[in-house]
């Protein structure tokens, strides 16, 4: 595959942007390949500057559940754009968006839009602190909730001590209010609450972890978090930026039948445009300015083009009852095909999956094998694969055939 134009652009980009990219994982540092610069994407495929085309299982990290450039979504954005790009004033679409999300996810009694998942998660944590008057937050090793300071932490040296910064520029004073437990370890969470019964404002969790490969919640883990947080007067926050509207129309909480106090949505809720959302119990959200004392704001929050894309996407997902069945069937076939033909471990739930690798070097070989064969997966073993409604049976078959040629 030719990549000279991508290489030339990347060379230029390196002199203009940190690592040549606007988000680190795109730099393909972990896999030692030149990032392929995309010119367009349509359906299940993306096309790069050198004329190569790929079956795409990244889907922009989750938003493209309908496939890229789905007609109705593009049309909705085009029409909205003709009426103006941004107003910084209330619009009908934002009311429709809040109504639609509450209909699909009943725990979202009251919501606020933001422009990114990071902002939404950061704001949900602030609301939890404001509502409870407590400072500490519990998160889980391997879960990612965006790059706000308090979330860029790793487990402290002692199991029950406060976290340490996991990025330069994060003061220890910010990290110390975040406690970190191993994912799926409900006993560790119990110990954290026993050692800090009145100090924990909330537990924030990806109901299915999808930033350390895909890791499914063990039976009783999420129920246990629900029970423990209620018992100690802390809030349960589901970060559904990836799982929201992906695992079911009601997200992971709809699939698992667990009601968090607050939730965070992103990706699909914006239909591919910059939009995310946090929300939940009305009594908690009444804390958010201007109704309450927890300040939160955003120039482009609820942007007309982003809400148009998000609404168009959610409407299609709500109207087309068969979509989740199609996603399940195709994804099951893909996961089974890869594991049967490579003996690699595949973890899957719905159209979210990951192929397990213990080290970067073996993953890099897998990545290159697929890339050079015309299949695009995330350039990191910690990221997930996403199947869309646009992936065809032929896409799945050729991906399995290509995977079968991989020797670990
Ligand atoms: P954004 O700020 O990137 O919109 O959302 C942050 C976020 C929050 N919560 C979860 C569970 C997430 O997965 C994310 C962002 N996901 C990553 C990929 N795993 C985005 C890709 C990137 O950082 O470039």
């Amino acid at each position: 595959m030719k990549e000279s134009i991508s290489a030339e652009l990347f060379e230029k980009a390196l002199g203009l942007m940190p690592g040549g990219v606007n988000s680190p994982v795109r730099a393909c540092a972990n896999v030692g390949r030149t990032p392929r610069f995309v010119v367009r994407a349509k359906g299940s495929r993306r096309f790069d500057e050198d004329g190569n085309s790929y079956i795409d299982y990244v889907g922009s990290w989750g938003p493209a559940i309908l496939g890229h450039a789905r007609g109705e979504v593009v049309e909705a954005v085009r029409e909205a754009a003709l009426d103006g790009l941004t107003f910084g004033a209330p619009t009908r679409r934002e009311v429709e968006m809040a109504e639609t999300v509450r209909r699909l996810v009943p725990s979202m009694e009251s919501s606020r839009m933001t422009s990114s998942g990071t902002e939404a998660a950061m704001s949900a944590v602030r609301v939890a602190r404001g509502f409870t008057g407590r400072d500490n937050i519990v998160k889980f090793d391997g879960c990612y909730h965006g790059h706000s300071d308090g979330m860029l932490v790793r487990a402290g040296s002692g199991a029950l001590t406060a976290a340490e910064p996991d990025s330069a520029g994060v003061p220890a004073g910010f990290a110390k209010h975040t406690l970190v437990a191993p994912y799926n370890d409900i006993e560790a969470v119990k110990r954290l609450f026993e050692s800090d019964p009145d100090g924990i404002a909330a537990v924030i969790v990806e109901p299915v972890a999808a930033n350390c490969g895909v890791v499914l919640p063990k039976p009783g883990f999420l129920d246990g978090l629900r029970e423990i947080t209620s018992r100690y007067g802390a809030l349960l926050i589901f970060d559904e930026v990836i799982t929201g509207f992906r695992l079911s129309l009601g997200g992971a909480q709809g699939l698992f039948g667990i009601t968090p106090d607050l939730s965070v949505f992103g990706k699909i809720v914006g239909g591919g445009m910059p939009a995310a959302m946090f929300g939940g119990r009305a009594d908690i959200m009444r804390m958010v300015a201007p109704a309450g004392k927890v300040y939160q704001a955003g120039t482009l929050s609820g942007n007309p083009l982003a809400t148009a894309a998000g609404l168009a996407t959610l409407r299609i997902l709500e109207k087309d009852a068969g979509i989740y069945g199609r996603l399940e069937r195709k994804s099951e076939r893909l996961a089974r095909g890869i594991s049967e033909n490579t003996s690699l471990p595949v973890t899957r739930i719905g159209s979210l999956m990951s192929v397990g690798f213990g080290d970067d070097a073996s993953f890099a070989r897998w990545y290159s094998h697929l890339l050079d064969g015309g299949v695009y997966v995330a350039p990191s073993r910690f990221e997930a694969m996403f199947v869309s409604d646009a992936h065809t049976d032929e896409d799945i078959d050729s991906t399995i055939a290509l995977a079968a040629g991989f020797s670990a």
Side-chain angles (χ1 to χ4, degrees):
M1 272 182 167
K2 212 163 76 57
E3 63 176 19
S4 53
I5 299 175
S6 281
E8 202 182 295
L9 280 168
F10 190 47
E11 198 50 40
K12 219 165 155 187
L14 283 165
L16 293 161
M17 296 171 268
V21 289
N22 280 312
S23 196
V25 71
R26 304 176 191 171
C28 297
N30 288 3
V31 292
R33 294 298 297 264
T34 303
R36 299 289 168 86
F37 281 56
V38 178
V39 283
R40 67 185 180 90
K42 179 70 180 163
S44 63
R45 284 189 171 270
R46 63 163 68 189
F47 305 86
D48 75 14
E49 288 277 353
D50 290 282
N52 305 310
S53 93
Y54 311 85
I55 302 170
D56 180 12
Y57 290 103
V58 179
S60 183
W61 310 97
I65 190 168
L66 299 177
H68 290 291
R70 170 77 179 244
E72 303 93 310
V73 180
V74 173
E75 196 42 37
V77 174
R78 200 183 69 81
E79 270 168 36
L82 296 173
D83 292 337
L85 302 184
T86 176
F87 313 121
T91 61
R92 175 189 297 271
R93 280 196 195 89
E94 290 162 271
V95 176
E96 290 170 356
M97 174 63 94
E99 254 174 355
T100 301
V101 171
R102 186 166 67 181
R103 183 170 64 250
L104 302 180
V105 187
S107 73
M108 291 289 278
E109 295 171 353
S110 171
S111 60
R112 163 72 52 93
M113 291 189 78
T114 65
S115 297
S116 72
T118 292
E119 263 188 277
M122 175 183 73
S123 306
V125 164
R126 186 181 306 137
V127 176
R129 288 177 162 142
F131 181 76
T132 61
R134 299 174 179 182
D135 291 342
N136 294 337
I137 296 288
V138 174
K139 79 173 287 290
F140 294 92
D141 234 354
C143 284
Y144 178 66
H145 306 291
H147 62 87
S148 61
D149 288 340
M151 292 293 117
L152 290 181
V153 299
R154 62 168 166 270
S157 42
L160 292 186
T161 53
E164 292 157 6
D166 199 12
S167 161
V170 175
F174 285 37
K176 75 176 187 199
H177 290 299
T178 308
L179 309 172
V180 180
Y183 194 74
N184 271 325
D185 186 341
I186 198 70
E187 292 309 315
V189 178
K190 279 183 184 152
R191 288 196 298 274
L192 286 176
F193 273 95
E194 283 157 6
S195 70
D196 188 11
D198 304 315
I200 296 173
V203 172
I204 185 167
V205 66
E206 289 183 64
V208 172
N211 283 286
C212 45
V214 173
V215 178
L216 307 184
K218 276 189 192 143
F221 176 57
L222 296 175
D223 291 304
L225 293 180
R226 180 64 285 176
E227 191 278 325
I228 290 173
T229 46
S230 301
R231 186 165 10 123
Y232 283 92
L235 302 185
L236 178 59
I237 304 174
F238 269 14
D239 179 340
E240 295 228 39
V241 165
I242 284 185
T243 56
F245 313 109
R246 164 110 6 219
L247 298 191
S248 85
L249 202 47
Q253 56 193 275
L255 188 69
F256 297 135
I258 294 177
T259 304
D261 299 299
L262 293 173
S263 300
V264 181
F265 291 95
K267 299 183 194 281
I268 292 174
V269 82
M273 296 286 283
M277 181 187 272
F278 69 100
R281 278 173 36 197
D283 61 323
I284 299 171
M285 290 299 285
R286 266 195 289 279
M287 294 293 297
V288 181
K293 297 193 175 345
V294 176
Y295 195 68
Q296 194 282 343
T299 303
L300 298 174
S301 298
N303 171 274
L305 277 63
T307 42
L311 273 173
T313 301
L314 295 182
R315 283 180 179 139
I316 292 169
L317 291 172
E318 190 176 11
K319 247 190 2 235
D320 181 352
I323 192 163
Y324 290 98
R326 294 196 296 272
L327 287 171
E328 175 60 26
R329 184 181 60 75
K330 285 186 285 193
S331 307
E332 192 281 329
R333 211 156 68 71
L334 177 65
R336 186 160 34 83
I338 291 174
S339 57
E340 284 174 357
N341 287 281
T342 65
S343 69
L344 290 168
V346 180
T347 305
R348 178 186 73 85
I349 178 167
S351 55
L352 179 64
M353 68 178 81
S354 65
V355 180
F357 285 89
D359 62 275
D360 286 342
S362 52
F363 175 79
R365 284 198 303 279
W366 164 255
Y367 176 82
S368 284
H369 174 76
L370 295 181
L371 184 76
D372 295 335
V375 168
Y376 193 85
V377 295
S380 161
R381 64 192 172 98
F382 300 112
E383 300 293 347
M385 286 174 75
F386 300 91
V387 179
S388 82
D389 195 38
H391 283 91
T392 63
D393 283 332
E394 293 70 35
D395 289 335
I396 304 294
D397 292 339
S398 47
T399 305
I400 292 170
L402 179 61
F406 174 69
S407 43

